[in-house]
């Protein structure tokens, strides 16, 4: 049998850092990444055959649990008809119709292959539509790795203490204003100063790439008001939260209607699908109707779309999100209770199938607050849990993800493991 260590050594010889996306490298928690061989329901198995309860869920997509039989069947059936045509298909139309029906703020939508493509294209479109250059983003929010968005971004960039990427010319980000998440006055001040130069505001309406951080009351409302008043496009980056935080994303929970939304992760059901959509008036500015260019050889790939469609359809069954949030709540509360009983400064939060765990006294509301958490302790907790068969997100700056297959027994097993680990931290 091949060991994780052998695979990692081989990987490092030909793949930078041994991984194809940085946070997989266990860079912040240390140790050898697990090479996953297969997954089913709430479980993953590594190359050595070790079984783990998985709370990464492919970083969000695996909301139905891994390898849901209906999704696998749809992919297999679609694949027998050919993998890609470079021409439109009925499946794309159906997925577009379903998303527009589920998220009424989206009147028209375009499919792409990743979240990065979705946000990059949405911003270009917002700029083309408004004829303005400046964009506002928030510290700790991650919107993929397009140049103009790699400023004080979350996810792997936080983990690696690398707030801005090398290789991005200063000129490329001179139009990107970075504000503090949840800073209502900061938003008002930025709009007061730059009045009519702001093309768009892009925000994770619940941040999930600096751990889990919810908007304070009034924050998203202020973004909506200011964008409306100044003719700027409000973009909700729901790549992570879409169909994950709730049945209609954060826009469904808060009732705040963005002008544009970006999606990925869950809408591909584990396959590469992203999307951006919104008001028809804005969306009609892209090629071939309008002058903003955007394209993709594999966009709306039929096999990927088949996986996404089945996933979204299964999520429409009644009670699905109540069940998901209940399990996440029991985990969040159970973990906090056990951590505190063992004397640790610890707090937790949740929404839908997103779980936030913080080694801090209270739930953080900003990047500055979350960065005060005890990352050394988190790293020991992470490895303790891994040794006990629970695979959490390998960074204190990432949310963890619960699926519909995380049933009571799985949750109880997780809490039991955590109780022991907290005692030994
Ligand atoms: C994951 C993520 C992205 C990037 O998506 P990729 O598919 O990894 O390119 C963008 N925005 C948010 C909010 C995300 O969570």
């Amino acid at each position: 049998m091949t060991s994780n260590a052998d695979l990692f050594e081989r990987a490092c010889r030909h793949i930078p850092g041994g991984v194809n996306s940085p946070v997989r490298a266990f860079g912040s928690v240390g140790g050898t990444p697990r090479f996953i061989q297969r997954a089913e329901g709430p479980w993953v198995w590594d190359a050595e055959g070790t079984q783990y309860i998985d709370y990464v869920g492919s970083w969000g997509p695996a909301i139905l649990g891994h390898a849901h039989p209906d999704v696998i069947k749809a992919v297999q059936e679609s694949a027998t008809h050919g993998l890609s045509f470079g021409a439109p298909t009925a499946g794309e139309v159906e997925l577009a119709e379903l998303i527009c029906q589920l998220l009424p703020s989206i009147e028209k939508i375009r499919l792409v292959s990743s979240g990065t493509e979705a946000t990059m294209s949405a911003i270009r479109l917002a700029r083309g539509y408004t004829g303005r250059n400046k964009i506002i983003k928030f510290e700790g929010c991650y919107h993929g790795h397009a140049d103009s968005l790699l400023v004080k971004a979350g996810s792997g960039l936080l983990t690696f203490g690398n707030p801005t990427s090398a290789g991005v010319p200063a000129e490329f980000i001179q139009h990107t204003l970075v504000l503090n998440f949840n800073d209502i006055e900061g938003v008002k001040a930025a709009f007061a100063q730059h009045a009519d130069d702001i093309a768009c505001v892009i925000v994770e309406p619940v941040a999930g790439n600096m751990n889990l951080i919810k908007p304070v009351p009034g924050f998203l409302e202020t973004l909506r008001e200011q964008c409306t008043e100044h003719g700027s496009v409000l973009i909700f980056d729901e790549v992570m939260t879409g169909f994950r935080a709730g049945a209609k994303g954060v826009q469904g929970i808060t009732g705040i209607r963005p002008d544009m939304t970006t999606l990925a992760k869950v809408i591909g059901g584990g396959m590469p699908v992203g999307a951006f959509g919104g008001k028809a008036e804005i969306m009609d500015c892209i090629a071939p109707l309008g002058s903003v260019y955007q394209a993709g050889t594999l966009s709306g790939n039929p096999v990927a779309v088949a996986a996404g469609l089945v996933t979204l359809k299964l999520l429409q069954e009644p009670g699905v999100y109540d069940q998901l949030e209940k399990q996440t709540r029991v985990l969040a509360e159970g973990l906090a209770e056990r951590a505190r009983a063992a004397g640790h400064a610890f707090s937790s939060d949740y929404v839908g199938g997103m779980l936030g765990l913080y080694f801090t006294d209270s739930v953080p509301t900003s990047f500055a607050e979350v960065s005060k958490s005890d990352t050394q302790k988190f790293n020991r907790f992470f490895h303790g849990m891994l040794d006990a068969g629970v695979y959490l997100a390998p960074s204190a700056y990432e949310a963890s993800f619960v699926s519909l297959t995380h049933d009571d027994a799985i949750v109880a097993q997780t809490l039991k493991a955590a109780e022991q680990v907290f005692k030994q931290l």
Side-chain angles (χ1 to χ4, degrees):
M1 195 190 314
T2 330
S3 71
N4 293 306
D6 286 347
L7 281 170
F8 193 46
E9 197 194 302
R10 266 174 63 201
C12 287
R13 262 180 252 146
H14 295 288
I15 303 172
V19 290
N20 283 312
S21 194
V23 82
R24 296 178 196 170
F26 278 25
S28 63
V29 291
T32 309
R34 301 304 188 259
F35 283 69
I36 305 301
Q37 198 178 43
R38 69 185 181 95
E40 194 183 321
W43 302 101
V44 293
W45 286 264
D46 72 10
E48 298 171 11
T50 308
Q51 181 178 357
Y52 305 90
I53 301 175
D54 178 31
Y55 288 99
V56 174
S58 186
W59 295 103
I63 192 165
L64 301 173
H66 291 288
H68 189 289
D70 293 1
V71 178
I72 299 301
K73 192 165 150 245
V75 167
Q76 286 171 336
E77 273 176 16
S78 176
T80 61
H81 299 140
L83 298 181
S84 171
F85 318 118
T89 63
E92 292 165 84
V93 184
E94 206 188 327
L95 184 57
E97 285 170 350
L98 181 58
I99 294 174
C100 290
Q101 178 208 322
L102 294 172
L103 299 182
S105 72
I106 303 184
E107 295 167 359
K108 287 193 177 179
I109 188 164
R110 178 157 285 174
L111 301 183
V112 292
S113 300
S114 70
T116 293
E117 266 187 276
T119 54
M120 180 185 81
S121 308
I123 284 182
R124 183 181 306 142
L125 183 52
R127 284 174 161 156
Y129 169 74
T130 57
R132 303 173 183 177
N133 290 331
K134 287 194 169 43
I135 64 175
I136 290 179
K137 81 172 284 287
F138 296 92
E139 185 172 24
C141 285
Y142 177 67
H143 304 291
H145 60 90
D147 284 337
S148 65
L149 292 164
L150 280 180
V151 194
K152 297 197 174 176
S155 194
L157 293 161
L158 291 183
T159 301
F160 300 111
N162 196 5
T164 303
S165 168
V168 178
E171 289 81 1
F172 285 24
I173 55 164
Q174 67 180 356
H175 298 299
T176 307
L177 304 171
V178 185
L179 307 180
N180 291 321
F181 192 76
N182 277 331
D183 179 3
I184 294 174
E185 292 314 311
V187 170
K188 289 183 183 164
F191 271 97
Q193 191 181 344
H194 299 284
D196 301 329
D197 289 338
I198 297 169
C200 65
V201 174
I202 185 164
V203 66
E204 287 183 75
V206 166
N209 286 287
M210 49 172 164
N211 211 317
L212 173 68
I213 299 199
K214 288 182 181 169
V216 297
F219 177 60
L220 297 176
E221 289 80 356
T222 302
L223 297 184
R224 180 63 280 171
E225 277 161 28
Q226 293 289 320
C227 284
T228 304
E229 189 180 328
H230 296 283
S232 307
V233 176
L234 178 59
I235 305 172
F236 274 8
D237 180 358
E238 298 227 44
V239 165
M240 185 183 283
T241 54
F243 307 106
R244 161 62 69 183
K248 294 177 186 300
V250 179
Q251 52 198 279
I253 296 170
T254 59
I256 296 171
R257 194 180 172 106
D259 302 306
M260 290 186 72
T261 302
T262 52
L263 297 165
K265 298 193 169 118
V266 169
I267 67 162
M271 297 285 278
V273 181
F276 61 102
K279 285 183 177 165
E281 183 190 331
I282 302 174
M283 292 303 292
D284 285 346
C285 294
I286 53 174
L289 293 182
S291 54
V292 177
Y293 196 68
Q294 187 278 329
T297 301
L298 293 178
S299 292
N301 175 269
V303 186
V305 162
L309 255 179
V310 177
T311 301
L312 286 188
K313 283 182 187 167
L314 289 169
L315 289 171
Q316 304 317 308
E317 282 168 21
V320 157
Y321 285 91
D322 290 342
Q323 165 68 11
L324 187 66
E325 186 160 278
K326 187 186 133 245
Q327 300 305 81
T328 315
R329 174 173 54 77
V330 172
L331 273 165
E333 292 174 356
L335 287 166
E337 201 179 294
R338 284 158 182 79
R340 289 181 184 148
H344 302 293
F346 188 92
S347 53
S348 62
D349 205 357
Y350 63 93
V351 59
M354 289 168 71
L355 174 65
L357 308 175
Y358 329 89
F359 281 89
T360 54
D361 283 318
S362 54
V363 173
T365 60
S366 68
F367 172 69
E369 283 178 27
V370 79
S371 36
K372 288 188 196 128
S373 61
D374 188 340
T375 49
Q376 293 305 318
K377 211 178 235 190
F378 171 83
N379 294 351
R380 292 198 301 276
F381 176 65
F382 169 82
H383 277 292
M385 291 297 277
L386 196 64
D387 290 344
V390 181
Y391 190 113
L392 295 168
S395 161
Y397 292 113
E398 302 285 355
S400 286
F401 299 98
V402 177
S403 85
L404 288 161
T405 55
H406 288 73
D407 59 15
D408 292 349
I410 293 286
V411 168
Q413 195 179 328
T414 306
L415 292 177
K416 200 170 153 215
E419 186 165 327
Q420 289 308 313
V421 174
F422 280 131
K423 279 183 189 157
Q424 288 153 18
L425 272 190

CSV table of all heavy atoms in Angstrom, one decimal, residues 130-170:
chain,number,residue,atom,x,y,z
A,130,THR,N,-21.2,49.9,-15.5
A,130,THR,CA,-21.2,51.3,-14.9
A,130,THR,C,-20.3,52.2,-15.5
A,130,THR,O,-20.4,53.4,-15.3
A,130,THR,CB,-20.8,51.2,-13.4
A,130,THR,OG1,-19.5,50.6,-13.3
A,130,THR,CG2,-21.8,50.4,-12.5
A,131,GLY,N,-19.3,51.7,-16.3
A,131,GLY,CA,-18.3,52.6,-16.9
A,131,GLY,C,-17.4,53.2,-15.8
A,131,GLY,O,-16.8,54.2,-16.0
A,132,ARG,N,-17.3,52.5,-14.7
A,132,ARG,CA,-16.4,53.0,-13.6
A,132,ARG,C,-15.3,51.9,-13.3
A,132,ARG,O,-15.5,50.8,-13.6
A,132,ARG,CB,-17.3,53.2,-12.3
A,132,ARG,CG,-18.4,54.1,-12.5
A,132,ARG,CD,-19.3,54.1,-11.2
A,132,ARG,NE,-20.5,54.9,-11.3
A,132,ARG,CZ,-21.4,55.0,-10.4
A,132,ARG,NH1,-21.3,54.3,-9.3
A,132,ARG,NH2,-22.4,55.8,-10.5
A,133,ASN,N,-14.3,52.4,-12.5
A,133,ASN,CA,-13.2,51.5,-12.3
A,133,ASN,C,-13.1,50.9,-10.9
A,133,ASN,O,-12.7,49.8,-10.7
A,133,ASN,CB,-11.9,52.2,-12.5
A,133,ASN,CG,-11.7,52.5,-14.0
A,133,ASN,OD1,-12.1,51.7,-14.9
A,133,ASN,ND2,-11.0,53.6,-14.3
A,134,LYS,N,-13.5,51.7,-9.9
A,134,LYS,CA,-13.2,51.3,-8.5
A,134,LYS,C,-14.1,50.2,-8.0
A,134,LYS,O,-15.3,50.1,-8.3
A,134,LYS,CB,-13.3,52.5,-7.5
A,134,LYS,CG,-12.2,53.5,-7.7
A,134,LYS,CD,-12.1,54.4,-6.5
A,134,LYS,CE,-10.8,55.2,-6.5
A,134,LYS,NZ,-10.4,55.7,-7.8
A,135,ILE,N,-13.5,49.3,-7.2
A,135,ILE,CA,-14.3,48.2,-6.6
A,135,ILE,C,-14.0,48.2,-5.1
A,135,ILE,O,-12.9,48.6,-4.6
A,135,ILE,CB,-14.0,46.8,-7.1
A,135,ILE,CG1,-12.6,46.4,-6.9
A,135,ILE,CG2,-14.3,46.8,-8.7
A,135,ILE,CD1,-12.3,44.9,-7.3
A,136,ILE,N,-15.0,47.8,-4.3
A,136,ILE,CA,-14.8,47.7,-2.8
A,136,ILE,C,-14.8,46.2,-2.5
A,136,ILE,O,-15.8,45.5,-2.9
A,136,ILE,CB,-15.9,48.5,-2.0
A,136,ILE,CG1,-15.7,50.0,-2.2
A,136,ILE,CG2,-15.9,48.1,-0.6
A,136,ILE,CD1,-16.7,50.8,-1.5
A,137,LYS,N,-13.8,45.8,-1.7
A,137,LYS,CA,-13.9,44.5,-1.1
A,137,LYS,C,-13.6,44.6,0.4
A,137,LYS,O,-13.2,45.7,0.8
A,137,LYS,CB,-13.0,43.5,-1.8
A,137,LYS,CG,-11.5,43.6,-1.4
A,137,LYS,CD,-10.7,42.4,-1.9
A,137,LYS,CE,-10.9,41.1,-1.3
A,137,LYS,NZ,-10.3,41.0,0.1
A,138,PHE,N,-13.7,43.5,1.1
A,138,PHE,CA,-13.5,43.5,2.6
A,138,PHE,C,-12.4,42.6,3.0
A,138,PHE,O,-12.2,41.5,2.4
A,138,PHE,CB,-14.8,43.2,3.3
A,138,PHE,CG,-15.9,44.2,3.0
A,138,PHE,CD1,-16.8,44.0,1.9
A,138,PHE,CD2,-16.0,45.4,3.7
A,138,PHE,CE1,-17.7,45.0,1.6
A,138,PHE,CE2,-16.9,46.3,3.4
A,138,PHE,CZ,-17.8,46.1,2.4
A,139,GLU,N,-11.7,43.1,4.0
A,139,GLU,CA,-10.5,42.3,4.5
A,139,GLU,C,-11.0,41.0,5.0
A,139,GLU,O,-11.9,40.8,5.7
A,139,GLU,CB,-9.8,43.1,5.6
A,139,GLU,CG,-8.5,42.4,6.0
A,139,GLU,CD,-7.7,43.2,7.0
A,139,GLU,OE1,-8.3,44.0,7.7
A,139,GLU,OE2,-6.5,42.9,7.1
A,140,GLY,N,-10.3,39.9,4.5
A,140,GLY,CA,-10.6,38.6,5.0
A,140,GLY,C,-11.6,37.9,4.0
A,140,GLY,O,-11.7,36.7,4.1
A,141,CYS,N,-12.3,38.6,3.2
A,141,CYS,CA,-13.1,38.0,2.2
A,141,CYS,C,-12.3,37.5,1.0
A,141,CYS,O,-11.5,38.2,0.5
A,141,CYS,CB,-14.2,38.9,1.7
A,141,CYS,SG,-15.5,39.2,2.9
A,142,TYR,N,-12.6,36.2,0.7
A,142,TYR,CA,-11.8,35.6,-0.5
A,142,TYR,C,-12.8,35.5,-1.7
A,142,TYR,O,-13.9,35.0,-1.5
A,142,TYR,CB,-11.3,34.3,-0.1
A,142,TYR,CG,-10.6,33.5,-1.2
A,142,TYR,CD1,-9.4,34.0,-1.7
A,142,TYR,CD2,-11.2,32.4,-1.7
A,142,TYR,CE1,-8.7,33.3,-2.7
A,142,TYR,CE2,-10.5,31.7,-2.8
A,142,TYR,CZ,-9.3,32.1,-3.2
A,142,TYR,OH,-8.7,31.4,-4.2
A,143,HIS,N,-12.4,36.0,-2.8
A,143,HIS,CA,-13.2,35.9,-4.0
A,143,HIS,C,-12.5,35.2,-5.1
A,143,HIS,O,-12.7,35.6,-6.3
A,143,HIS,CB,-13.7,37.3,-4.4
A,143,HIS,CG,-14.3,38.1,-3.3
A,143,HIS,ND1,-15.6,37.7,-2.8
A,143,HIS,CD2,-13.9,39.2,-2.6
A,143,HIS,CE1,-15.9,38.6,-1.8
A,143,HIS,NE2,-15.0,39.4,-1.7
A,144,GLY,N,-11.7,34.2,-4.8
A,144,GLY,CA,-10.9,33.6,-5.9
A,144,GLY,C,-9.6,34.3,-6.1
A,144,GLY,O,-9.3,35.3,-5.4
A,145,HIS,N,-8.9,33.9,-7.1
A,145,HIS,CA,-7.5,34.4,-7.2
A,145,HIS,C,-7.3,35.3,-8.4
A,145,HIS,O,-6.1,35.4,-8.9
A,145,HIS,CB,-6.5,33.2,-7.2
A,145,HIS,CG,-6.7,32.2,-8.3
A,145,HIS,ND1,-6.1,32.4,-9.6
A,145,HIS,CD2,-7.5,31.1,-8.4
A,145,HIS,CE1,-6.4,31.4,-10.3
A,145,HIS,NE2,-7.3,30.6,-9.7
A,146,ALA,N,-8.3,36.0,-8.9
A,146,ALA,CA,-8.1,37.0,-9.9
A,146,ALA,C,-7.3,38.2,-9.4
A,146,ALA,O,-7.4,38.5,-8.2
A,146,ALA,CB,-9.4,37.5,-10.5
A,147,ASP,N,-6.4,38.8,-10.2
A,147,ASP,CA,-5.5,39.8,-9.8
A,147,ASP,C,-6.1,40.9,-8.9
A,147,ASP,O,-5.6,41.2,-7.8
A,147,ASP,CB,-4.8,40.5,-11.0
A,147,ASP,CG,-3.7,39.6,-11.6
A,147,ASP,OD1,-3.2,38.7,-10.9
A,147,ASP,OD2,-3.4,39.8,-12.8
A,148,SER,N,-7.2,41.5,-9.3
A,148,SER,CA,-7.6,42.7,-8.6
A,148,SER,C,-8.3,42.4,-7.3
A,148,SER,O,-8.6,43.2,-6.5
A,148,SER,CB,-8.6,43.5,-9.5
A,148,SER,OG,-9.8,42.7,-9.7
A,149,LEU,N,-8.5,41.1,-7.1
A,149,LEU,CA,-9.1,40.6,-5.8
A,149,LEU,C,-8.2,40.1,-4.8
A,149,LEU,O,-8.6,39.7,-3.7
A,149,LEU,CB,-10.2,39.6,-6.1
A,149,LEU,CG,-11.4,40.2,-6.9
A,149,LEU,CD1,-12.2,39.1,-7.6
A,149,LEU,CD2,-12.2,41.1,-6.0
A,150,LEU,N,-6.9,40.0,-5.2
A,150,LEU,CA,-5.9,39.4,-4.3
A,150,LEU,C,-5.3,40.4,-3.3
A,150,LEU,O,-4.1,40.6,-3.2
A,150,LEU,CB,-4.8,38.7,-5.0
A,150,LEU,CG,-5.2,37.3,-5.6
A,150,LEU,CD1,-4.0,36.7,-6.3
A,150,LEU,CD2,-5.6,36.4,-4.4
A,151,VAL,N,-6.2,41.1,-2.7
A,151,VAL,CA,-5.8,42.1,-1.7
A,151,VAL,C,-6.4,41.8,-0.4
A,151,VAL,O,-7.7,41.7,-0.3
A,151,VAL,CB,-6.2,43.5,-2.1
A,151,VAL,CG1,-5.5,44.6,-1.3
A,151,VAL,CG2,-6.0,43.8,-3.6
A,152,LYS,N,-5.6,41.5,0.6
A,152,LYS,CA,-6.1,41.2,2.0
A,152,LYS,C,-7.3,40.2,1.9
A,152,LYS,O,-8.4,40.4,2.4
A,152,LYS,CB,-6.6,42.5,2.7
A,152,LYS,CG,-5.4,43.4,2.9
A,152,LYS,CD,-5.7,44.5,4.0
A,152,LYS,CE,-4.5,45.2,4.3
A,152,LYS,NZ,-4.7,46.3,5.2
A,153,ALA,N,-7.0,39.1,1.1
A,153,ALA,CA,-8.0,38.1,0.9
A,153,ALA,C,-7.9,37.0,1.9
A,153,ALA,O,-6.8,36.9,2.6
A,153,ALA,CB,-7.9,37.5,-0.5
A,154,GLY,N,-8.9,36.2,2.1
A,154,GLY,CA,-8.9,35.2,3.1
A,154,GLY,C,-8.4,33.8,2.6
A,154,GLY,O,-7.6,33.8,1.7
A,155,SER,N,-8.9,32.8,3.2
A,155,SER,CA,-8.5,31.4,2.8
A,155,SER,C,-7.0,31.1,2.9
A,155,SER,O,-6.4,31.6,3.9
A,155,SER,CB,-9.1,31.1,1.4
A,155,SER,OG,-9.0,29.7,1.2
A,156,GLY,N,-6.4,30.5,1.9
A,156,GLY,CA,-5.0,30.1,2.0
A,156,GLY,C,-4.1,31.3,2.2
A,156,GLY,O,-3.0,31.2,2.7
A,157,LEU,N,-4.6,32.5,1.7
A,157,LEU,CA,-3.7,33.7,1.9
A,157,LEU,C,-3.6,34.1,3.3
A,157,LEU,O,-2.6,34.6,3.7
A,157,LEU,CB,-4.3,34.8,1.0
A,157,LEU,CG,-4.3,34.6,-0.5
A,157,LEU,CD1,-5.2,35.4,-1.2
A,157,LEU,CD2,-2.9,34.8,-1.0
A,158,LEU,N,-4.7,33.9,4.1
A,158,LEU,CA,-4.5,34.2,5.5
A,158,LEU,C,-3.7,33.2,6.2
A,158,LEU,O,-2.8,33.5,6.9
A,158,LEU,CB,-5.9,34.2,6.2
A,158,LEU,CG,-6.9,35.3,5.8
A,158,LEU,CD1,-8.2,35.1,6.6
A,158,LEU,CD2,-6.3,36.6,6.0
A,159,THR,N,-4.0,31.9,5.8
A,159,THR,CA,-3.2,30.8,6.4
A,159,THR,C,-1.7,31.0,6.3
A,159,THR,O,-1.0,30.7,7.1
A,159,THR,CB,-3.7,29.5,5.8
A,159,THR,OG1,-5.1,29.4,6.0
A,159,THR,CG2,-3.0,28.3,6.4
A,160,PHE,N,-1.3,31.5,5.1
A,160,PHE,CA,0.1,31.6,4.8
A,160,PHE,C,0.6,33.0,5.1
A,160,PHE,O,1.7,33.3,4.7
A,160,PHE,CB,0.3,31.2,3.4
A,160,PHE,CG,-0.1,29.8,3.2
A,160,PHE,CD1,-1.2,29.5,2.4
A,160,PHE,CD2,0.6,28.7,3.8
A,160,PHE,CE1,-1.6,28.2,2.2
A,160,PHE,CE2,0.1,27.4,3.6
A,160,PHE,CZ,-0.9,27.2,2.8
A,161,GLY,N,-0.1,33.8,5.8
A,161,GLY,CA,0.4,35.1,6.2
A,161,GLY,C,0.8,35.9,5.0
A,161,GLY,O,1.9,36.5,5.1
A,162,ASN,N,0.1,35.8,4.0
A,162,ASN,CA,0.5,36.4,2.7
A,162,ASN,C,-0.6,37.3,2.2
A,162,ASN,O,-1.3,36.9,1.3
A,162,ASN,CB,0.7,35.2,1.7
A,162,ASN,CG,1.5,35.6,0.5
A,162,ASN,OD1,2.0,36.7,0.4
A,162,ASN,ND2,1.7,34.7,-0.4
A,163,PRO,N,-0.8,38.5,2.8
A,163,PRO,CA,-2.0,39.2,2.6
A,163,PRO,C,-2.2,39.6,1.1
A,163,PRO,O,-3.3,39.7,0.6
A,163,PRO,CB,-1.9,40.5,3.5
A,163,PRO,CG,-0.4,40.5,3.8
A,163,PRO,CD,0.1,39.1,3.8
A,164,THR,N,-1.1,39.8,0.4
A,164,THR,CA,-1.2,40.2,-1.0
A,164,THR,C,-0.3,39.3,-1.8
A,164,THR,O,0.8,39.0,-1.3
A,164,THR,CB,-0.9,41.7,-1.2
A,164,THR,OG1,-1.7,42.4,-0.4
A,164,THR,CG2,-1.1,42.1,-2.6
A,165,SER,N,-0.7,38.8,-2.9
A,165,SER,CA,0.2,37.9,-3.6
A,165,SER,C,1.3,38.6,-4.4
A,165,SER,O,1.1,39.7,-4.9
A,165,SER,CB,-0.7,37.1,-4.7
A,165,SER,OG,0.1,36.5,-5.6
A,166,ALA,N,2.5,38.0,-4.4
A,166,ALA,CA,3.5,38.5,-5.3
A,166,ALA,C,3.0,38.2,-6.8
A,166,ALA,O,2.1,37.4,-7.0
A,166,ALA,CB,4.8,37.7,-5.1
A,167,GLY,N,3.5,39.0,-7.7
A,167,GLY,CA,3.1,38.8,-9.1
A,167,GLY,C,1.9,39.6,-9.5
A,167,GLY,O,1.4,39.4,-10.6
A,168,VAL,N,1.3,40.4,-8.6
A,168,VAL,CA,0.2,41.3,-8.9
A,168,VAL,C,0.8,42.7,-8.9
A,168,VAL,O,1.1,43.2,-7.9
A,168,VAL,CB,-0.9,41.1,-7.9
A,168,VAL,CG1,-2.1,42.1,-8.3
A,168,VAL,CG2,-1.4,39.7,-7.8
A,169,PRO,N,0.9,43.3,-10.1
A,169,PRO,CA,1.4,44.7,-10.2
A,169,PRO,C,0.5,45.6,-9.4
A,169,PRO,O,-0.7,45.5,-9.3
A,169,PRO,CB,1.3,45.0,-11.7
A,169,PRO,CG,1.2,43.7,-12.4
A,169,PRO,CD,0.5,42.8,-11.4
A,170,ALA,N,1.2,46.6,-8.7
A,170,ALA,CA,0.4,47.5,-7.9
A,170,ALA,C,-0.7,48.2,-8.7
A,170,ALA,O,-1.8,48.5,-8.2
A,170,ALA,CB,1.4,48.6,-7.3
